[in-house]
């Protein structure tokens, strides 16, 4: 038996031992009894809002939006990869968790907009290309200030790319109403690159 096979067998054995130990601690040495399962259902449910801690509030995202629904169907003929781009303002000096929450808000807002049949931005073909063509590709870039972010927003609209600016509620790190993240797309990379070609990775 090779050294690699022996190492693999040993790893599987250790994992099995740990799993067995954990199960026996939970269920006891005999099978789990029905009474234990019944007792577990008596555990009171704690409301979700009571579970957050003060640290988690640092990353809460309670934002207003700024967007225009754009008909991006003319971009369906542009070949290649489809991606979403998230552009984070650097002058606000947001923590990584805060920036991640703001990017998540922009991502969801753009997706809801382009996948909603009631929206002018509805484009199921582009959604399909983004979701299944290349695994919902996203890239995060940085912009130095709001003026440049506003310029990028205008460029996106002029190129039929859906855009969404997140405005923070100002409850944690930054002033209320601050534009934090600009989301673009999903749209063909060839088109988004025309807007973001000079930006650095976040």
């Amino acid at each position: 038996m090779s050294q690699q096979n022996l190492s693999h067998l040993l790893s599987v054995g250790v994992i099995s031992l740990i799993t067995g130990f954990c199960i026996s601690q939970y269920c006891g040495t005999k099978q789990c009894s029905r009474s234990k399962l019944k007792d577990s259902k008596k555990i009171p449910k704690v409301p979700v809002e009571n579970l957050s801690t003060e640290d988690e509030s640092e990353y809460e995202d309670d934002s207003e939006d700024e967007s225009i629904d754009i008909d991006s169907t003319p971009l369906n003929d542009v070949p290649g990869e489809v991606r979403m781009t998230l552009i984070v303002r650097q002058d606000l000096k947001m923590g990584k968790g805060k920036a991640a929450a703001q990017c998540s808000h922009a991502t969801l807002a753009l997706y809801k907009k382009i996948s909603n049949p009631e929206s002018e931005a509805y484009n199921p073909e582009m959604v399909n290309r983004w979701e299944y063509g290349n695994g919902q590709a996203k890239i995060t870039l940085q912009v130095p200030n709001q003026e440049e972010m506003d310029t990028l927003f205008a460029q996106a609209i002029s190129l039929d790319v859906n855009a969404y600016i997140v405005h923070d509620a100002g409850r944690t790190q930054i002033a209320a109403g601050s534009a934090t993240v600009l989301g673009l797309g999903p749209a063909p990379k060839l088109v988004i690159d025309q807007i973001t070609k000079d930006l650095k990775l976040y």
Side-chain angles (χ1 to χ4, degrees), residues 20-40:
F21 176 77
C22 292
I23 291 171
S24 70
Q25 291 298 305
Y26 177 74
C27 296
T29 52
K30 298 179 184 175
Q31 263 189 323
C32 289
S33 65
R34 290 180 191 263
S35 62
K36 268 193 180 177
L37 291 174
K38 285 180 188 173
D39 289 344
S40 69

Side-chain angles (χ1 to χ4, degrees), residues 20-80:
F21 176 77
C22 292
I23 291 171
S24 70
Q25 291 298 305
Y26 177 74
C27 296
T29 52
K30 298 179 184 175
Q31 263 189 323
C32 289
S33 65
R34 290 180 191 263
S35 62
K36 268 193 180 177
L37 291 174
K38 285 180 188 173
D39 289 344
S40 69
K41 292 179 184 173
K42 294 178 186 173
I43 297 172
K45 291 184 178 176
V46 179
V48 173
E49 60 270 12
N50 293 343
L51 294 176
S52 67
T53 66
E54 196 171 313
D55 290 341
E56 288 172 342
S57 68
E58 190 72 12
Y59 309 121
E60 286 177 3
D61 183 30
D62 187 5
S63 309
E64 300 171 359
D65 64 352
E66 180 181 340
S67 68
I68 299 171
D69 289 354
I70 297 296
D71 176 11
S72 62
T73 54
L75 302 180
N76 290 345
D77 295 331
V78 178

Side-chain angles (χ1 to χ4, degrees), residues 86-92 94-95 99-100 102-103 140-145 149 179-182 199 202:
L86 306 160
I87 304 166
V88 181
R89 265 182 68 187
Q90 291 304 289
D91 58 327
L92 295 175
M94 290 181 283
Q102 301 287 290
C103 286
T140 310
L141 305 171
Q142 54 183 291
V143 68
N145 53 50
M149 179 182 278
T180 56
V181 170
L182 167 63
L199 302 182
Y202 174 69

